[in-house]
Short mmCIF file of all heavy atoms in Angstrom, two decimals:
data_model
loop_
_atom_site.label_atom_id
_atom_site.label_comp_id
_atom_site.label_asym_id
_atom_site.label_seq_id
_atom_site.Cartn_x
_atom_site.Cartn_y
_atom_site.Cartn_z
N LEU A 201 -8.85 -3.03 -13.45
CA LEU A 201 -9.97 -3.88 -13.11
C LEU A 201 -11.27 -3.26 -13.50
O LEU A 201 -11.61 -2.19 -12.87
CB LEU A 201 -9.90 -4.26 -11.62
CG LEU A 201 -8.64 -5.02 -11.15
CD1 LEU A 201 -8.63 -5.09 -9.61
CD2 LEU A 201 -8.66 -6.43 -11.68
N ARG A 202 -12.07 -3.88 -14.30
CA ARG A 202 -13.34 -3.25 -14.66
C ARG A 202 -14.35 -3.37 -13.56
O ARG A 202 -14.52 -4.41 -12.97
CB ARG A 202 -13.88 -3.97 -15.99
CG ARG A 202 -12.91 -3.88 -17.15
CD ARG A 202 -12.66 -2.36 -17.52
NE ARG A 202 -11.73 -2.30 -18.68
CZ ARG A 202 -11.24 -1.22 -19.13
NH1 ARG A 202 -11.51 -0.06 -18.53
NH2 ARG A 202 -10.36 -1.23 -20.10
N GLY A 203 -15.02 -2.25 -13.30
CA GLY A 203 -16.11 -2.30 -12.32
C GLY A 203 -15.65 -2.37 -10.83
O GLY A 203 -16.49 -2.75 -9.96
N VAL A 204 -14.38 -2.01 -10.60
CA VAL A 204 -13.83 -2.15 -9.25
C VAL A 204 -13.42 -0.81 -8.71
O VAL A 204 -12.78 -0.05 -9.42
CB VAL A 204 -12.62 -3.11 -9.21
CG1 VAL A 204 -12.00 -3.13 -7.84
CG2 VAL A 204 -13.08 -4.49 -9.71
N ASP A 205 -13.85 -0.48 -7.42
CA ASP A 205 -13.37 0.77 -6.80
C ASP A 205 -12.09 0.56 -6.02
O ASP A 205 -11.45 -0.55 -6.05
CB ASP A 205 -14.52 1.35 -5.96
CG ASP A 205 -14.91 0.44 -4.77
OD1 ASP A 205 -14.14 -0.55 -4.46
OD2 ASP A 205 -15.87 0.69 -4.11
N HIS A 206 -11.71 1.56 -5.32
CA HIS A 206 -10.44 1.52 -4.57
C HIS A 206 -10.41 0.36 -3.58
O HIS A 206 -9.47 -0.45 -3.56
CB HIS A 206 -10.31 2.87 -3.77
CG HIS A 206 -8.96 2.96 -3.09
ND1 HIS A 206 -7.75 3.05 -3.74
CD2 HIS A 206 -8.65 3.00 -1.74
CE1 HIS A 206 -6.76 3.16 -2.82
NE2 HIS A 206 -7.29 3.07 -1.60
N PHE A 207 -11.45 0.25 -2.72
CA PHE A 207 -11.40 -0.73 -1.62
C PHE A 207 -11.67 -2.15 -2.07
O PHE A 207 -11.38 -3.11 -1.34
CB PHE A 207 -12.39 -0.28 -0.52
CG PHE A 207 -12.13 1.02 0.05
CD1 PHE A 207 -12.83 2.16 -0.36
CD2 PHE A 207 -11.21 1.15 1.04
CE1 PHE A 207 -12.58 3.39 0.23
CE2 PHE A 207 -10.88 2.42 1.61
CZ PHE A 207 -11.60 3.57 1.18
N GLY A 208 -12.20 -2.32 -3.26
CA GLY A 208 -12.45 -3.62 -3.77
C GLY A 208 -11.21 -4.27 -4.40
O GLY A 208 -11.19 -5.50 -4.60
N THR A 209 -10.21 -3.46 -4.73
CA THR A 209 -9.03 -4.05 -5.53
C THR A 209 -8.36 -5.22 -4.76
O THR A 209 -8.17 -6.22 -5.38
CB THR A 209 -8.06 -2.93 -5.79
OG1 THR A 209 -8.71 -1.94 -6.62
CG2 THR A 209 -6.84 -3.41 -6.52
N PRO A 210 -7.95 -5.09 -3.51
CA PRO A 210 -7.23 -6.21 -2.93
C PRO A 210 -8.00 -7.47 -2.70
O PRO A 210 -7.45 -8.58 -2.44
CB PRO A 210 -6.66 -5.65 -1.60
CG PRO A 210 -7.57 -4.52 -1.29
CD PRO A 210 -8.01 -3.96 -2.58
N ASN A 211 -9.34 -7.34 -2.76
CA ASN A 211 -10.21 -8.48 -2.53
C ASN A 211 -10.68 -9.15 -3.87
O ASN A 211 -11.40 -10.12 -3.86
CB ASN A 211 -11.38 -8.12 -1.72
CG ASN A 211 -11.07 -7.58 -0.37
OD1 ASN A 211 -10.25 -8.10 0.28
ND2 ASN A 211 -11.65 -6.48 0.04
N ASP A 212 -10.36 -8.53 -4.99
CA ASP A 212 -10.77 -9.01 -6.30
C ASP A 212 -10.00 -10.30 -6.72
O ASP A 212 -8.73 -10.26 -6.68
CB ASP A 212 -10.62 -7.90 -7.32
CG ASP A 212 -11.32 -8.24 -8.61
OD1 ASP A 212 -10.72 -9.00 -9.44
OD2 ASP A 212 -12.46 -7.70 -8.88
N VAL A 213 -10.70 -11.31 -7.12
CA VAL A 213 -10.06 -12.53 -7.46
C VAL A 213 -9.14 -12.34 -8.69
O VAL A 213 -8.05 -12.88 -8.73
CB VAL A 213 -11.11 -13.61 -7.79
CG1 VAL A 213 -10.41 -14.86 -8.35
CG2 VAL A 213 -11.89 -14.00 -6.56
N ARG A 214 -9.53 -11.49 -9.63
CA ARG A 214 -8.70 -11.23 -10.82
C ARG A 214 -7.43 -10.60 -10.38
O ARG A 214 -6.31 -10.91 -10.92
CB ARG A 214 -9.45 -10.30 -11.76
CG ARG A 214 -10.66 -10.91 -12.46
CD ARG A 214 -11.44 -9.81 -13.13
NE ARG A 214 -12.04 -8.85 -12.14
CZ ARG A 214 -12.71 -7.82 -12.48
NH1 ARG A 214 -12.95 -7.53 -13.74
NH2 ARG A 214 -13.18 -7.00 -11.58
N CYS A 215 -7.44 -9.74 -9.41
CA CYS A 215 -6.21 -9.06 -8.88
C CYS A 215 -5.36 -10.08 -8.23
O CYS A 215 -4.11 -10.13 -8.53
CB CYS A 215 -6.66 -7.99 -7.85
SG CYS A 215 -5.21 -7.26 -6.97
N MET A 216 -5.85 -10.95 -7.43
CA MET A 216 -5.08 -11.98 -6.75
C MET A 216 -4.42 -12.86 -7.72
O MET A 216 -3.19 -13.14 -7.65
CB MET A 216 -5.99 -12.81 -5.78
CG MET A 216 -6.47 -12.04 -4.60
SD MET A 216 -7.44 -13.13 -3.48
CE MET A 216 -7.77 -12.10 -2.10
N GLU A 217 -5.17 -13.33 -8.73
CA GLU A 217 -4.65 -14.27 -9.71
C GLU A 217 -3.48 -13.64 -10.48
O GLU A 217 -2.45 -14.21 -10.73
CB GLU A 217 -5.76 -14.78 -10.61
CG GLU A 217 -6.72 -15.73 -9.98
CD GLU A 217 -7.86 -16.10 -10.90
OE1 GLU A 217 -7.97 -15.48 -11.95
OE2 GLU A 217 -8.57 -17.05 -10.60
N THR A 218 -3.76 -12.38 -10.87
CA THR A 218 -2.69 -11.67 -11.68
C THR A 218 -1.43 -11.40 -10.86
O THR A 218 -0.32 -11.59 -11.38
CB THR A 218 -3.25 -10.37 -12.24
OG1 THR A 218 -4.39 -10.63 -13.02
CG2 THR A 218 -2.25 -9.60 -13.10
N VAL A 219 -1.57 -10.94 -9.61
CA VAL A 219 -0.43 -10.67 -8.80
C VAL A 219 0.38 -11.97 -8.51
O VAL A 219 1.60 -11.98 -8.61
CB VAL A 219 -0.86 -9.91 -7.53
CG1 VAL A 219 0.31 -9.87 -6.59
CG2 VAL A 219 -1.41 -8.57 -7.84
N LEU A 220 -0.33 -13.02 -8.18
CA LEU A 220 0.34 -14.28 -7.91
C LEU A 220 1.04 -14.74 -9.14
O LEU A 220 2.19 -15.31 -9.02
CB LEU A 220 -0.60 -15.29 -7.36
CG LEU A 220 -1.24 -15.02 -6.02
CD1 LEU A 220 -2.31 -16.00 -5.63
CD2 LEU A 220 -0.18 -14.92 -4.90
N GLY A 221 0.47 -14.64 -10.28
CA GLY A 221 1.11 -15.03 -11.50
C GLY A 221 2.35 -14.17 -11.78
O GLY A 221 3.37 -14.73 -12.25
N PHE A 222 2.25 -12.89 -11.51
CA PHE A 222 3.34 -11.97 -11.74
C PHE A 222 4.50 -12.35 -10.84
O PHE A 222 5.73 -12.30 -11.28
CB PHE A 222 2.88 -10.55 -11.41
CG PHE A 222 3.89 -9.48 -11.37
CD1 PHE A 222 4.58 -9.09 -12.52
CD2 PHE A 222 4.26 -8.91 -10.13
CE1 PHE A 222 5.56 -8.09 -12.46
CE2 PHE A 222 5.30 -7.90 -10.04
CZ PHE A 222 5.89 -7.52 -11.28
N LEU A 223 4.21 -12.75 -9.59
CA LEU A 223 5.26 -13.27 -8.64
C LEU A 223 5.66 -14.66 -8.89
O LEU A 223 6.56 -15.22 -8.27
CB LEU A 223 4.81 -13.06 -7.24
CG LEU A 223 4.46 -11.62 -6.80
CD1 LEU A 223 4.09 -11.64 -5.30
CD2 LEU A 223 5.60 -10.74 -6.99
N ASP A 224 4.90 -15.35 -9.77
CA ASP A 224 5.12 -16.76 -10.14
C ASP A 224 5.01 -17.63 -8.91
O ASP A 224 5.86 -18.54 -8.61
CB ASP A 224 6.53 -17.00 -10.76
CG ASP A 224 6.67 -18.31 -11.47
OD1 ASP A 224 5.66 -18.89 -11.89
OD2 ASP A 224 7.81 -18.76 -11.59
#
Side-chain angles (χ1 to χ4, degrees):
L201 297 170
R202 302 298 178 191
V204 176
D205 64 11
H206 183 69
F207 297 99
T209 298
N211 299 316
D212 190 280
V213 173
R214 294 167 294 176
C215 174
M216 291 183 175
E217 291 177 345
T218 301
V219 171
L220 294 175
F222 172 71
L223 299 182
D224 196 24

